[in-house]
Amino acid sequence: MQAATENVFKALSDPTRRAIFEHLSRDGEQTVHALTYRAGVSQPAVSKHLRVLKLASLVRDRREGRETHYRAQPQALAPLVDWMSLYGTFWRDRFDQLENLLKRMDK
Amino acid sequence: MTQTAPSHTLVIEREIPHSPEKIWRALTEGALIEEWLMKNDFQPIVGHRFNFRSTPVPNWDGIIDGEVLVVEPNSRLSYSWSSMGLKSVVAWTLTPTTGGTHVRMEHSGFRSNTDAAYKGANWGWQKFIGNLEGVVGGLD
């Protein structure tokens, strides 16, 4: 696996980091303070998590005065989504249901 | 590090022991479509716009927007399939056989990556798939 992809997997394997990333994806840019308030862990811990997310290109930071603002970079996830296997599973399952329906239509 | 490969096509083919006429009904009548695919307001009329609706998950509203592209009764049916900005096309072809019907479904227009490692890795990620799909689908 490519190093960049491996970093993404590592970054998202931790539930706290995943929560921070999902929070940023949903609610947009946040300061470290705001993220700390939501995460329920110490600020140094949040900062450490953010460094790991940044290494994986999942977040981008910006200094403004004394605050650092973070925003999600969800395009870093793109290589992980394999639409072919997602929809392959989906359609095979639906084909089974279609065949079941056709059998019921006989009755 | 956005990496998007050219589009791909998913093909599923099955021999089904039922007539093309009957399969056509299951593919085109709203109440029947709901039984095997999703809730919908589908009508087999070229140009008709419809939704397929499944259960929403976090970051995905569960809605697929479609437009009917091809209607040749008992033979060919095609519609567009758009979800969270990812556009694709579904095409059904029914061919009568001695024992029933050869059903071919082609779903094309995916972006996918070619690295088999990603495919393997994805199996461990099923529970995040809904979120990933929503977040990545919102990109373009």
Side-chain angles (χ1 to χ4, degrees):
Chain A
M1 207 186 295
Q2 293 174 11
T5 307
E6 208 166 308
N7 286 339
V8 173
F9 274 104
K10 267 186 202 153
L12 295 178
S13 65
D14 180 90
T16 307
R17 279 198 293 275
R18 214 154 54 225
I20 292 170
F21 178 70
E22 287 188 5
H23 178 197
L24 288 170
S25 299
R26 253 196 299 273
D27 300 339
E29 191 176 79
Q30 306 274 322
T31 63
V32 178
H33 279 113
L35 289 167
T36 302
Y37 183 74
R38 287 275 291 263
V41 291
S42 69
Q43 191 183 315
V46 169
S47 295
K48 197 176 162 198
H49 284 314
L50 286 166
R51 278 199 296 278
V52 178
L53 290 168
K54 191 180 163 185
L55 182 69
S57 305
L58 285 163
V59 300
R60 196 165 64 184
D61 62 342
R62 163 178 86 77
R63 285 293 290 192
E64 192 181 288
R66 302 175 67 173
E67 288 270 35
T68 306
H69 298 247
Y70 281 87
R71 62 164 57 210
Q73 299 271 92
Q75 61 269 35
L77 290 175
L80 303 186
V81 179
D82 184 339
W83 298 96
M84 296 287 278
S85 37
L86 270 184
Y87 271 111
T89 307
F90 170 83
W91 281 116
R92 264 176 275 278
D93 182 50
R94 298 306 159 131
F95 261 72
D96 291 343
Q97 294 189 41
L98 172 63
E99 289 201 68
N100 286 334
L101 167 69
L102 290 163
K103 274 179 214 153
R104 291 203 304 276
M105 283 167 70
D106 277 337
K107 288 166 191 163
Chain B
M1 57 165 261
T2 304
Q3 298 170 340
T4 46
S7 71
H8 289 253
T9 299
L10 173 75
V11 176
I12 296 181
E13 292 179 277
R14 278 199 199 177
E15 293 287 332
I16 297 186
H18 298 276
S19 67
E21 291 75 15
K22 189 171 160 189
I23 296 169
W24 181 260
R25 285 186 56 206
L27 296 183
T28 57
E29 290 181 20
L32 294 176
I33 294 169
E34 184 176 340
E35 296 251 348
W36 67 273
L37 184 59
M38 275 178 248
K39 289 191 186 359
N40 65 90
D41 56 357
F42 184 87
Q43 286 180 40
I45 299 166
V46 173
H48 174 68
R49 290 173 185 273
F50 62 94
N51 293 139
F52 287 134
R53 295 170 186 277
S54 62
T55 311
V57 293
N59 295 321
W60 187 54
D61 56 11
I63 294 173
I64 290 147
D65 293 305
E67 181 179 348
V68 179
L69 304 174
V70 176
V71 178
E72 288 176 22
N74 308 325
S75 166
R76 288 177 63 224
L77 175 70
S78 176
Y79 39 79
S80 62
W81 177 287
S82 303
S83 179
M84 301 295 281
L86 184 78
K87 288 186 180 168
S88 55
V89 172
V90 173
W92 295 88
T93 310
L94 308 181
T95 312
T97 61
T98 47
T101 306
H102 179 93
V103 179
R104 182 179 200 274
M105 197 260 355
E106 184 177 309
H107 195 165
S108 56
F110 298 109
R111 291 165 298 151
S112 183
N113 53 68
T114 51
D115 188 340
Y118 294 144
K119 290 194 172 84
N122 271 324
W123 288 109
W125 283 76
Q126 296 293 354
K127 67 174 182 167
F128 304 122
I129 285 300
N131 287 339
L132 293 176
E133 207 177 341
V135 172
V136 177
L139 295 178
D140 52 7

